[in-house]
Amino acid sequence: MASFADYVASRPAAEQAEADILHYTEVLIEALTMDAPEGYSYAIDGGRKYHKVWMTTGGGNCSIHAFVDKKTGDVLKPASTKAPAKGVRFNLLDEASREDMLSRVGWSGGYLYRR
């Protein structure tokens, strides 16, 4: 059984991982913005369990582009505006997975489909 001292010792590592996940989510948004057509924009909305990456079109329509798990860094395709689809697509904390995602990133979200 883990002691309170173990919990306290692990807390800074967990906070650093969450900060890294937020940073890499912002990097994802920058890559999406560079690939997007004129007038499209992206933003992060933090929920209880996931960061939602929102896409706003030139006409003002909003949709969820992706979900990012705040604890693990898993990137998931949306099933609806409230929940992600099953199956992890990429992981932001794994360097190889993150680089693969950033090399495939596209404004329309095609990189989130399974191959």
Side-chain angles (χ1 to χ4, degrees), residues 57-74:
T57 64
N61 297 327
C62 294
S63 61
I64 296 287
H65 180 82
F67 285 91
V68 178
D69 190 302
K70 287 182 170 184
K71 301 275 186 219
T72 64
D74 293 337

Side-chain angles (χ1 to χ4, degrees), residues 4 22 25-26 44 58 74 82 96-97:
F4 183 71
L22 181 58
T25 304
E26 291 168 351
I44 301 172
D74 293 337
K82 295 185 184 230
S97 178

